Amino acid sequence: IPHSLGGRDTPSNFVLLCSRCHLDNPNVSDPEIMWDWLRAYAVPFYDTFWNIHGMKEYERIYGVSFRQEMKIRNITKKIQDEILRVRLIDLEKEQELCFTLNERAKLTSDRYALAFSYTFLADCYLAVRDNKSCILYLSRAKSLCEAQQYDDLLIRIYNFYGMFCNAIYDEITALDYYLKSLDIAEKNQNYMQMASAYNNIATCFDLKHNYEEAVVFYRKSYDVLAQEKENTAYSRAVSLTNLCNCSFK
């Protein structure tokens, strides 16, 4: 019950709403009407009410649901592919695409797309060393992907966790995450991610000046990439450089 109609400033009279709903909710003295309104207009994610109603209007006008249109045009997949294309080139663009994907995933209840957006938002913040934002999105991505068993994303998430832990000088936890990433990559025969995990494991030993072990894993990284020759020239060059540098330490 609003203050203007005699509502008390007590917890029993509080309802937490977003700013838009505070403007749109019915200002009446009967609390049951407020609960009826909430049940009728509740949406699963904050600040998506008008977007959802816009999708209903879209279906009424064009005779096809917004979700179906997204599927027909393969828009979500195109955004994901573009994120992968720009992630090592343009961090600002990667972040922008991730937020776009995040919004569309919420509107269409696409859990995989939502997990994908969280994963690569963490990637963005990891790159700029924003640890607070990075761990926030990593945690969201990890919880969702472990629950849904999105192995292709978990490989990257565990790898990013390892890199995060390395950045805060927790090499033991980093190594544990790299091994988790390697385990899933081997199970799925994802050679690029196997090589990445081997390289990062080698880095852990390298930082601890255990060069003998580091060389073993750098070599494994290079050997795995040699099996997958397409689109691996840059990665093989990096892996070979790391191997040579460590061999002469």
Side-chain angles (χ1 to χ4, degrees), residues 178-194:
Y178 291 144
L179 289 170
K180 285 183 177 181
S181 178
L182 177 62
D183 183 55
I184 300 175
E186 288 178 333
K187 185 176 73 175
N188 290 275
Q189 294 187 308
N190 187 325
Y191 294 116
M192 286 293 290
Q193 292 302 322
M194 284 169 61

Side-chain angles (χ1 to χ4, degrees), residues 236-248:
R236 277 185 285 137
V238 171
S239 188
L240 186 59
T241 300
N242 290 338
L243 176 59
C244 293
N245 287 339
C246 190
S247 297
F248 288 99

Side-chain angles (χ1 to χ4, degrees), residues 44-62:
F45 291 101
Y46 60 86
D47 208 24
T48 58
F49 175 82
W50 289 112
N51 289 328
I52 289 171
H53 277 267
M55 289 194 293
K56 291 179 180 177
E57 285 295 307
Y58 186 95
E59 184 171 0
R60 183 177 299 143
I61 294 168
Y62 295 106

Side-chain angles (χ1 to χ4, degrees), residues 137-162:
Y137 285 108
L138 268 181
S139 178
R140 290 179 181 179
K142 180 173 176 286
S143 298
L144 188 51
C145 289
E146 286 179 341
Q148 300 297 319
Q149 297 183 322
Y150 296 145
D151 278 0
D152 60 317
L153 293 178
L154 277 173
I155 293 171
R156 292 181 181 272
I157 290 164
Y158 292 147
N159 208 20
F160 293 158
Y161 256 111

Side-chain angles (χ1 to χ4, degrees), residues 17-26 34 37-38 41 49:
L17 301 172
C18 70
S19 58
R20 289 191 185 183
C21 287
H22 269 297
L23 294 173
D24 294 336
N25 77 87
M34 167 62 87
W37 180 83
L38 285 171
Y41 288 98
F49 175 82

